[in-house]
Amino acid sequence: MHVKTILNRIQKFKSFVYSAVRWVDGPGGEPAIEAELRPRTNARACCSICGGEAPGYDRLAERRFEFVPLWGIRVYFRYAPRRVDCPDCGVRVERMPWASGKRQLTEAYAWFLSGWAKRLSWKEVAQVFHTSWEQVFRAVERAVEWGRAHQDLSGVKAIGVDEIAAWKGHKYLTLVYQIDSHCKRLLWIGEKRTVKTLLRFFRWFGKERSQSLDFICSDMWKPYLKVIAKKAGQAVHILDRFHIMAHLSKAIDEVRAQEAKELKEKGYEPILSKTRWLLLKRPEHLTEKQETRLADLVQYNLKSIRSYLLKEEFQLLWSYTAPYWAGRFLDTWCTKTMRSKIEPMKKVARMLRRHRSLLLNWFRAKGALSSAVVEGFNNKAKLTTRKAYGFRTYHAMEIALYHALGALPEPNFTHRFC
Ligand SMILES: [Zn+2]
């Protein structure tokens, strides 16, 4: 069987044929396969701008396009592009179905690399396929651009607004997810977490779509609350479980760190050292050893422990189904917490009181959506940004997140390379 036969099976063109396949020297001198292309007899060239058939003008020098490697051997297409004299666009290079623009990577190879970049880090993809990080990034960038231009935004009824701290020094990104039961994906990313950031989302999303949203999950972050009320006032705004529990965990962390420091200054034995996860984990996730340690700790009337118990008690809130009783529980918990004299916990209680009605929306919307989706996305987004060595720019980070979480569409291929 000839390589040509394989090529005709996996990548056949209507107006071009493979004329010859030969060994050539690849970069670094290792052998590579080169497939020469020529126009099919009587097939006229098409303008690369408008796609229409146009009379020939001249022929450019031969160019090489990198194709998907075969058995670890690099494969290139060689072709001398014609130029056409298009009545509408002037003298232009012809359309070549395997390539786009001045790019050296063929479309098939770019989709191949971006496909692998969903499974491996960009660095690993570059290593495995003997290409550069830059090429992988360009390939992913193209896939994301294509996918975002072709994605269907109809029927988005529920969104979740989340933030992550990217890079050191707390540069925030705002992420907006679709969290409908039939479709969950990252819709949009913006720099920072200001009023302007979220306004940009709604501008991109469009007025009509924004006004047909039914549910929005978000944190109690003020700029978000403001913009959501203004741009999608009709939607039920839910302060969701994931974001609220995150505030409580943060408060406990603060109490524990402060108390550990005080105890050390007073010369007590370090009973609070290495207890961070003990206090943050749910009790059912503790190991037997951790359980014993926790039982020991509870004997001391420490602020950390009292905070921990308050948080555990708060968990009960989520088991309510009626908003009324959930509200009663919440009020009791807040009163008790306000008397605790533990400032970080009091701060959370004050915040919850301020947003009482939004919080109770969680119970009104129950069953319609789950904030576990936002939590899952939040973890994946953090993982993507953490793997981000090499994402020197905001743009690269954005591309990586859309690629990993956007569930973006791809063109229909006749043959799938990966
Ligand atoms: Zn044209």
Side-chain angles (χ1 to χ4, degrees):
M1 186 166 59
H2 288 136
V3 175
K4 240 200 262 184
T5 317
I6 303 174
L7 283 170
N8 275 319
R9 190 175 177 109
I10 58 173
Q11 184 83 298
K12 200 180 169 88
F13 303 113
K14 218 174 104 202
S15 311
F16 301 86
V17 291
Y18 298 101
S19 53
V21 179
R22 61 175 87 86
W23 285 110
V24 291
D25 279 343
E30 87 274 25
I33 295 170
E34 190 179 81
E36 204 177 271
L37 280 153
R38 63 168 174 75
R40 204 179 279 280
T41 324
N42 299 331
R44 289 182 78 191
C46 294
C47 164
S48 56
I49 306 295
C50 66
E53 279 190 9
Y57 180 78
D58 63 356
R59 196 141 202 185
L60 300 174
E62 285 188 324
R63 276 175 60 191
R64 237 186 193 191
F65 304 86
E66 191 166 1
F67 190 62
V68 183
L70 176 69
W71 294 327
I73 306 165
R74 281 168 195 261
V75 178
Y76 294 95
F77 289 168
R78 181 187 275 279
Y79 181 67
R82 293 169 287 179
R83 282 203 299 178
V84 294
D85 192 3
C86 175
D88 296 326
C89 318
V91 173
R92 298 284 176 179
V93 179
E94 68 172 314
R95 171 175 287 181
M96 291 169 277
W98 60 85
S100 71
K102 286 187 164 30
R103 284 157 173 155
Q104 196 253 336
L105 238 51
T106 58
E107 290 288 300
Y109 192 31
W111 283 106
F112 175 84
L113 289 177
S114 73
W116 277 106
K118 272 192 187 157
R119 305 173 175 106
L120 305 171
S121 78
W122 297 0
K123 202 175 151 196
E124 284 165 320
V125 176
Q127 278 166 354
V128 173
F129 299 105
H130 306 286
T131 182
S132 63
W133 186 92
E134 190 71 19
Q135 292 278 46
V136 178
F137 165 58
R138 294 285 163 220
V140 175
E141 191 184 31
R142 270 159 90 173
V144 167
E145 275 168 12
W146 194 95
R148 292 199 33 90
H150 291 83
Q151 70 183 345
D152 178 10
L153 291 177
S154 63
V156 179
K157 289 288 169 201
I159 60 169
V161 183
D162 192 20
E163 61 186 40
I164 54 168
W167 297 289
K168 279 175 197 150
H170 292 280
K171 269 186 103 175
Y172 283 97
L173 298 179
T174 296
L175 305 170
V176 183
Y177 304 105
Q178 178 179 5
I179 53 172
D180 283 297
S181 53
H182 66 278
C183 182
K184 300 173 178 63
R185 58 182 165 168
L186 171 64
L187 288 176
W188 189 87
I189 309 167
E191 258 176 302
K192 301 184 186 160
R193 49 167 183 173
T194 61
V195 166
K196 268 190 188 162
T197 314
L198 204 55
L199 279 176
R200 276 199 290 125
F201 162 74
F202 281 110
R203 204 175 310 139
W204 168 83
F205 195 53
K207 199 173 171 184
E208 206 175 303
R209 278 193 283 263
S210 305
Q211 289 180 351
S212 57
L213 287 169
D214 290 337
F215 295 106
I216 302 180
C217 276
S218 88
D219 192 8
M220 290 169 271
W221 185 239
K222 221 190 219 146
Y224 290 166
L225 300 182
K226 230 169 104 181
V227 177
I228 290 170
K230 195 172 149 203
K231 291 290 174 183
Q234 83 293 343
V236 178
H237 187 181
I238 300 161
L239 296 176
D240 66 292
R241 178 175 178 165
F242 162 62
H243 284 114
I244 289 160
M245 294 321 284
H247 279 281
L248 280 169
S249 293
K250 217 178 124 212
I252 291 181
D253 234 12
E254 222 174 283
V255 175
R256 192 198 54 87
Q258 179 61 29
E259 197 164 40
K261 207 175 124 216
E262 282 169 16
L263 287 172
K264 203 177 161 202
E265 279 165 6
K266 287 179 190 159
Y268 285 104
E269 56 172 322
I271 41 172
L272 271 178
S273 66
K274 295 198 181 121
T275 54
R276 182 160 183 248
W277 293 112
L278 224 54
L279 298 180
L280 293 182
K281 263 189 178 177
R282 299 295 324 269
E284 60 268 31
H285 297 153
L286 291 174
T287 62
E288 210 169 304
K289 204 173 146 204
Q290 284 174 325
E291 247 175 71
T292 320
R293 271 209 79 196
L294 188 63
D296 272 353
L297 273 175
V298 174
Q299 300 170 21
Y300 302 91
N301 188 27
L302 292 170
K303 281 182 183 173
S304 310
I305 300 302
R306 282 189 288 134
S307 307
Y308 166 80
L309 294 173
L310 280 170
K311 181 190 161 201
E312 277 313 308
E313 194 187 325
F314 188 86
Q315 294 279 12
L316 282 176
L317 175 71
W318 309 111
S319 58
Y320 282 87
T321 47
Y324 174 80
W325 294 107
R328 291 275 298 262
F329 175 87
L330 182 69
D331 296 339
T332 316
W333 186 88
C334 284
T335 308
K336 190 170 165 188
T337 305
M338 289 309 287
R339 288 185 191 135
S340 71
K341 297 196 182 93
I342 306 170
E343 195 43 48
M345 294 301 283
K346 280 167 74 182
K347 210 174 121 197
V348 177
R350 275 197 292 268
M351 195 156 58
L352 293 174
R353 272 183 175 169
R354 263 203 311 278
H355 302 302
R356 188 181 187 273
S357 70
L358 288 185
L359 173 57
L360 293 180
N361 275 343
W362 193 84
F363 300 92
R364 294 186 189 108
K366 205 159 191 184
L369 40 88
S370 131
S371 65
V373 179
V374 177
E375 184 171 7
F377 272 127
N378 183 280
N379 288 334
K380 274 194 218 158
K382 276 187 194 153
L383 208 71
T384 307
T385 54
R386 215 174 296 144
K387 274 202 300 195
Y389 46 80
F391 299 169
R392 270 148 264 144
T393 61
Y394 166 72
H395 177 63
M397 173 90 79
E398 191 183 47
I399 294 294
L401 285 167
Y402 279 131
H403 192 53
L405 306 173
L408 292 170
E410 288 182 4
N412 282 320
F413 303 103
T414 40
H415 174 77
R416 291 202 73 92
F417 290 92
C418 75

